[in-house]
Amino acid sequence: MSLPGQHLPELHLLIGSYTATGGGNATGISIVGSSGAGADGPALVASTVAVLDDPSFLAVSGDRVYAVSETTDGGVHAFRRSGSSLEHLWDASAGGDAPCHIRVDPAGALVVTTYVSGTVTAVSLEAAESYAASVSASDGIVGGPGAAVGAGAGADGAGTAAGHGVAGRGTGVSAVLPDAAVATEVLPDATGPDEDRQDRPHAHQSTATPDGTVLVADLGGDALHEFRVAANATSVSIEPLRVHHVAPGAGPRHMAWFDGDLLVAGELDGHVYRMRRDGSGSFREVCTAAAFDGPVETSLLSHIEVDEHGLVTVAVRGRDQIVVLDASDGGLRVVGAASAGGVWPRHFARVPGYLLVANQMSDAVAVLPVGDDGVPGEAVAQIAVGSPTCIVPL
């Protein structure tokens, strides 16, 4: 749906969502494309491209699409994209319950974080691709020790030997990866002052550092855990390096980089933190800014991004706002705030001239025009999609 007189951009997107398993209204991964054109530009239509339980976060690399299934004993799923279709390639365990973030790391691995279990998992992409190709070449049957087969292997699709993953589904032959392709680390026990949300570690997101390591935000333990990930064709490893602490009760959720500094969204205290490595290698707080005035209550920060000019964009659920801060001068100050164009903005993506906001409880992605100051205007379109939680422009 677009507003009269507003010319819409041509968009091609993949959308992650919650399905009925997680209380949502989607049926899997959606793709958004143009359907004809009218006076106001192309009509933007979403359709299900892969049926999957709770694919709440996605990552794209070339023609590969990776998705978590944010369920109990959650999974990781890989697809090959061709136009507007996805071919299912392989599955792996997420290493814990409720995987909520997935990312392609420069080390050649997928890095997956699980919220409920508080784990971080790495999947060797070279090993995964090689194994999936061997399964496909043999029509879904791979012999030898440690082998596992995909869909059709038996009642549970898990094959006859130990392997990581879930039963294959979708078109094509899907492989369940062997143990050597997957490594998992459990975050150390920790709690925070919020007894309801910080009863134990909750790994929420990972990001690559300029130093070739990986940081994982632990919402439950008010910490950033640093790891070294290594992956090749036969193995993958995760080495814990150190723990960096943030303010008690902050609840670090998502992170972004600018000018060598780390910007952290505190989900629980409504603050954005700017952090920098000191001489000892530890990240220390440089400054912080409240994303809004007044009590936090049910106002929860979600996603954060920074553009090349130092404009920081952060979404606030509960208040249903997009807040913009300026980090260009080495500090942090609020520039302005605007409506998210819907209810419960869980994620967003930037495209030239627009901010696309996944408003989970509105069953829509809002298309917001953005001015030079980074503050969005009123929505010029709403893309109907059930319970959206992640947006990836293609």
Side-chain angles (χ1 to χ4, degrees):
M1 179 186 72
S2 62
L3 299 180
Q6 295 286 349
H7 189 82
L8 297 180
E10 186 167 341
L11 298 173
H12 299 280
L13 315 168
L14 283 173
I15 309 292
S17 294
Y18 283 127
T19 64
T21 302
N25 299 313
T27 54
I29 301 170
S30 300
I31 192 164
V32 172
S34 301
S35 177
D40 301 322
L44 302 173
V45 178
S47 58
T48 301
V49 70
V51 176
L52 190 65
D53 287 341
D54 291 341
S56 63
F57 214 89
L58 312 174
V60 173
S61 178
D63 66 350
R64 295 301 194 262
V65 176
Y66 306 104
V68 299
S69 184
E70 192 179 335
T71 59
T72 301
D73 195 21
V76 177
H77 309 274
F79 303 84
R80 178 189 292 114
R81 183 175 68 89
S82 178
S84 59
S85 65
L86 294 182
E87 177 190 1
H88 191 202
L89 298 177
W90 53 260
D91 304 304
S93 168
D97 296 344
C100 57
H101 188 265
I102 188 168
R103 182 181 58 82
V104 179
D105 191 77
L110 285 178
V111 178
V112 182
T113 51
T114 71
Y115 181 82
V116 171
S117 296
T119 63
V120 54
T121 291
V123 180
S124 168
L125 288 173
E126 188 176 1
E129 290 286 326
S130 175
Y131 190 77
S134 68
V135 171
S136 178
S138 57
D139 294 326
I141 301 176
V142 176
V149 296
D156 60 1
T160 58
H164 276 277
V166 298
R169 66 183 78 181
T171 61
V173 176
S174 177
V176 180
L177 300 187
D179 290 343
V182 183
T184 297
E185 281 286 329
V186 180
L187 299 187
D189 286 341
T191 59
D194 188 326
E195 295 181 359
D196 292 333
R197 298 291 308 281
Q198 296 185 303
D199 56 332
R200 56 181 167 175
H202 293 299
H204 218 305
Q205 188 213 31
S206 76
T207 187
T209 76
D211 306 297
T213 58
V214 171
L215 287 176
V216 173
D218 175 9
L219 182 146
D222 288 324
L224 309 176
H225 297 266
E226 190 166 6
F227 299 91
R228 190 175 305 282
V229 174
N232 56 40
T234 59
S235 65
V236 62
S237 63
I238 307 174
E239 177 190 0
L241 299 177
R242 64 175 70 202
V243 179
H244 311 274
H245 298 284
V246 297
R253 180 185 174 96
H254 279 199
M255 303 167 283
W257 293 94
F258 177 71
D259 198 23
D261 290 349
L262 183 69
L263 284 300
V264 180
E267 174 173 336
L268 302 182
D269 72 353
H271 282 67
V272 175
Y273 294 85
R274 184 170 192 157
M275 305 185 74
R276 184 178 302 158
R277 279 199 198 269
D278 64 14
S280 72
S282 295
F283 279 94
R284 306 292 185 188
E285 181 184 314
V286 176
C287 58
T288 183
F292 50 82
D293 296 327
V296 175
E297 297 178 341
T298 58
S299 299
L300 305 175
L301 302 195
S302 58
H303 190 51
I304 185 170
E305 291 190 12
V306 190
D307 72 9
E308 66 274 17
H309 305 297
L311 289 175
V312 182
T313 304
V314 64
V316 187
R317 294 165 296 171
R319 293 175 184 255
D320 299 331
Q321 290 183 324
I322 300 297
V323 178
V324 177
L325 303 92
D326 186 359
S328 63
D329 62 355
L332 274 175
R333 65 176 182 84
V334 174
V335 175
S339 168
V343 179
W344 212 249
R346 189 179 184 89
H347 190 252
F348 60 80
R350 293 178 293 135
V351 298
Y354 294 89
L355 191 72
L356 312 175
V357 184
N359 288 307
Q360 179 185 336
M361 295 185 182
S362 293
D363 290 332
V365 171
V367 181
L368 310 181
V370 176
D372 292 339
D373 62 358
V375 179
E378 293 186 5
V380 297
Q382 298 283 351
I383 305 170
V385 57
S387 308
T389 56
C390 176
I391 303 171
V392 181
L394 300 173

